[in-house]
Amino acid sequence: MSLLHRAAGLGLAALLAAAPPALAQQKTLRVAMTAADVPTTTGMPNNGFEGMRFLGYPVFEGLVLWDLSRADRPATLRPGLAESWEQDPADPKTWIFRLRGGVAFHDGTPFDADAVIWNLDRFFKPDSPQFEPAGAGTTRARNPILASYRKIDDRTVAISTNRVASYYPYMATYILMTSPRSFEAAGRDWGKVAALPAAGTGPFRLAKFTPRISAELARNEAYWDKTRIPKLDRVLLLPMPEANTRLAALRSGQVDWIEVPPPDAIPSLKAAGFNIVTNSYPHVWPWFFQTKGDTPFADLRTRQGLNYCVDREGLVQLLNGTAEPSLGWLKSSDPNFGKPEQRYGFDPAKGKALLAAAGWTAQKPLRFKVMISTSGSGQMLPLPMNEFLQQNLKEACGVDVSFEVTEWNTLLTAARSTPGAPVLNGSVSLNPSSPSSDPSVAARYFLQAFVPPNGFNWGQWNDPVFEEAFAALENARDEATFNAAYAKAHERLVDNPPWLYIVHDLNPRAMSRRVKGFVSAQSWFQDLVTVDLQ
């Protein structure tokens, strides 16, 4: 064990040893996250969707929530702080949300339309007293089409978008509500709100926050949905970015649950009685291509060729079966995958022919730099995976890849940058994983309207056929029209690839046999309410 691992283990041991006796006697689930730090605690966590998974939805809620109750289908939506919603019949760009009554924030503040407007101002009105730049940046990136909002009455608000968007309720899941009283109690200082901690409306409340060490959640006995009072007393969240550190903590009994166990340890964990949980879910682990400016990826043949050069099955073997090959943004089994002309597989001859047609040969090999992270939300095991790809592309197609290795939040910042930005340090490809859960995500990543800083189309990709199909999807009023347009749009994502499609994650986690009641939802997000400890 390295010095770093020992230090992490000793720090964790000291933390748990210092826990008060009452805490030790309670049902406390100890979770080792892949994040390098505790997600921020003001009510809009950083650290990507892992922050939302553990410090977002359990504590803070949106008007619309994810239904995480089933493992046999991709997660759908359910009413949250809004009991219902609909497009305004007179204006399809406007959505009417009817709010749930009888809901209070953890500090007792009533939830109503004024609280919704206050939170929307926090994210979307830079001159409001409560404007929070960090939270606003995250929320705006996930809601790039929000144009305006207004209170209709105490139980009703209207949100208008700058384009017709049949999928807008999916975007609404990413606007989390915090008590306005939290901000006032902290002297209108978001830095102090983080330490209060902030108050949400969720089934758990923030009980304790130790910067860079841990966050502790406690059961909210007064939760508005009495059928969803958590079984656990507490949840202790611990950042552990290094996979072997998480593994050692689980084996030694210091934690009960780890995200992304090392694949080579899975057989021995199973033999020792630990539960290994996996499930197919809408997530893709790619390399983004920068398609604008002085970049090799302006040529379609280069992008297609690389997609034929990747040994996806070999990478799945490296990961001990905890991933599946990716042939597009959606999984090939998805009914909206469509019927693209290209069907990527490991075909070095075809890949080299396409690269040669684009001008890349043994005498003039393709060389480029990819920005990667050491860990992070949904990043699986980025260092060994990228080393595999580096060797694979060199041996199969003569491609020379170098890496710019950085921290997860820096990579997220880079994904919102423009071509040639200093943060990229010469990188023309990025490796952040992505949800592929619904068209609202596709809009942010692929529509020309959402190049940075408006969204996550970092590669500046532009496909008129995709734009036309997506417009039909946005205006669809029935399921058949919606699905046909979605399939046509996805066909373009395959045939004119903005990304190098590599694998879809199977969302692996390892747990003590004491952990019961967990449902592995087909989602980035998971429900802690049903989890129990024996």
Side-chain angles (χ1 to χ4, degrees):
M1 182 180 289
S2 71
L3 180 61
L4 176 62
H5 299 168
R6 287 198 299 271
L10 289 171
L12 174 62
L15 172 69
L16 297 177
L23 179 60
Q25 294 170 6
Q26 293 178 333
K27 291 182 178 180
T28 301
L29 178 73
R30 302 159 299 171
V31 178
M33 304 180 295
T34 66
D37 196 0
V38 181
T40 48
T41 57
T42 58
M44 178 45 67
N46 63 2
N47 275 283
F49 276 0
E50 188 175 39
M52 292 288 279
R53 177 188 291 160
F54 289 118
L55 258 176
Y57 295 125
V59 180
F60 308 94
E61 297 177 306
L63 301 177
V64 183
L65 298 177
W66 292 97
D67 182 352
L68 305 172
S69 62
R70 294 176 57 172
D72 60 346
R73 69 178 187 191
T76 55
L77 300 180
R78 65 180 177 90
L81 295 178
E83 291 181 323
S84 63
W85 54 87
E86 64 181 359
Q87 278 178 294
D88 186 338
D91 177 12
K93 290 184 180 179
T94 296
W95 289 81
I96 307 299
F97 293 88
R98 292 177 174 80
L99 307 184
R100 189 178 300 279
V103 177
F105 290 96
H106 299 147
D107 61 8
T109 302
F111 170 78
D112 55 18
D114 289 331
V116 174
I117 299 301
W118 186 92
N119 275 278
L120 291 172
D121 284 350
R122 166 194 174 190
F123 297 130
F124 295 98
K125 189 179 179 183
D127 61 351
S128 66
Q130 68 268 32
F131 184 69
E132 182 196 6
T138 299
T139 306
R140 287 173 148 190
R142 294 170 181 166
N143 276 261
I145 64 174
L146 189 147
S148 63
Y149 44 87
R150 61 189 172 90
K151 173 184 174 180
I152 296 177
D153 57 41
D154 286 346
R155 293 277 300 277
T156 315
V157 296
I159 296 178
S160 297
T161 57
N162 58 23
R163 58 197 295 146
V164 177
S166 58
Y167 50 75
Y168 183 71
Y170 287 96
M171 285 187 174
T173 64
Y174 303 122
I175 304 176
L176 302 185
M177 302 291 159
T178 302
S179 170
R181 190 188 298 175
S182 297
F183 185 64
E184 297 297 331
R188 298 192 167 193
D189 182 340
W190 282 110
K192 294 179 180 177
V193 171
L196 277 178
T201 60
F204 291 90
R205 59 180 177 81
L206 273 163
K208 184 178 181 182
F209 165 59
T210 306
R212 306 199 70 82
I213 301 296
S214 66
E216 189 178 306
L217 315 184
R219 178 172 56 216
N220 177 17
E221 298 281 5
Y223 185 52
W224 55 264
D225 186 346
K226 300 308 178 186
T227 68
R228 285 183 45 78
I229 304 297
K231 294 180 171 61
L232 296 166
D233 295 303
R234 293 182 179 258
V235 178
L236 184 64
L237 302 173
L238 302 156
M240 293 189 196
E242 213 286 319
N244 286 323
T245 303
R246 296 194 296 274
L247 177 65
L250 180 66
R251 282 179 165 159
S252 65
Q254 294 179 317
V255 299
D256 309 291
W257 165 325
I258 66 172
E259 298 286 285
V260 195
D264 57 1
I266 288 176
S268 63
L269 285 171
K270 288 181 177 178
F274 292 97
N275 294 323
I276 306 297
V277 182
T278 61
N279 197 7
S280 180
Y281 82 121
H283 166 274
V284 59
W285 194 89
W287 286 355
F288 294 9
F289 292 135
Q290 179 54 255
T291 64
K292 185 177 181 180
D294 184 17
T295 162
F297 306 125
D299 194 311
L300 169 63
R301 295 166 295 186
T302 301
R303 290 179 271 128
Q304 288 182 339
L306 285 172
N307 269 289
Y308 282 107
C309 289
V310 173
D311 182 6
R312 298 170 178 84
E313 294 289 354
L315 186 55
V316 168
Q317 292 178 17
L318 174 72
L319 296 170
N320 214 337
T322 58
E324 54 190 332
S326 171
L327 307 182
W329 187 68
L330 296 172
K331 294 182 292 184
S332 56
S333 60
D334 193 293
N336 292 316
F337 187 88
K339 297 179 181 179
E341 295 178 4
Q342 304 297 322
R343 192 75 178 185
Y344 300 120
F346 186 38
D347 189 340
K350 189 169 186 176
K352 286 192 286 188
L354 283 162
L355 292 177
W360 308 110
T361 64
Q363 293 72 38
K364 185 188 175 183
L366 173 60
R367 293 187 174 93
F368 61 93
K369 182 189 285 188
V370 185
M371 178 175 278
I372 68 174
S373 65
T374 54
S375 66
S377 172
Q379 287 299 89
M380 305 175 68
L381 299 170
L383 296 182
M385 291 170 71
N386 279 301
E387 288 168 357
F388 175 93
L389 291 168
Q390 183 182 48
Q391 182 177 351
N392 160 209
L393 291 174
K394 178 67 173 177
E395 293 178 353
C397 293
V399 176
D400 291 325
V401 178
S402 60
F403 296 124
E404 178 75 15
V405 184
T406 189
E407 191 268 334
W408 173 234
N409 281 310
T410 302
L411 181 60
L412 291 180
T413 299
R416 295 190 285 267
S417 70
T418 54
V423 69
L424 298 170
N425 196 24
S427 302
V428 292
S429 180
L430 299 182
N431 172 228
S433 58
S434 163
S436 52
S437 53
D438 61 86
S440 78
V441 181
R444 294 189 286 119
Y445 278 102
F446 304 120
L447 285 175
Q448 182 63 19
F450 302 125
V451 298
N454 298 325
F456 283 101
N457 186 355
W458 174 81
Q460 313 271 323
W461 183 74
N462 188 11
D463 185 302
V465 177
F466 176 87
E467 298 275 333
E468 181 181 1
F470 212 84
L473 179 157
E474 290 181 315
N475 286 277
R477 292 299 185 99
D478 63 86
E479 188 174 0
T481 303
F482 181 97
N483 289 336
Y486 198 3
K488 185 175 181 180
H490 189 265
E491 288 169 1
R492 296 306 301 158
L493 291 177
V494 178
D495 290 335
N496 183 14
W499 295 355
L500 178 63
Y501 301 114
I502 303 170
V503 292
H504 298 291
D505 189 5
L506 290 185
N507 212 7
R509 45 182 56 89
M511 302 177 182
S512 160
R513 69 185 73 183
R514 296 180 60 228
V515 179
K516 304 294 181 182
F518 174 66
V519 176
S520 182
Q522 292 189 35
S523 171
W524 272 74
F525 313 113
Q526 300 297 327
D527 187 4
L528 298 179
V529 166
T530 64
V531 178
D532 202 356
L533 278 176
Q534 291 185 354

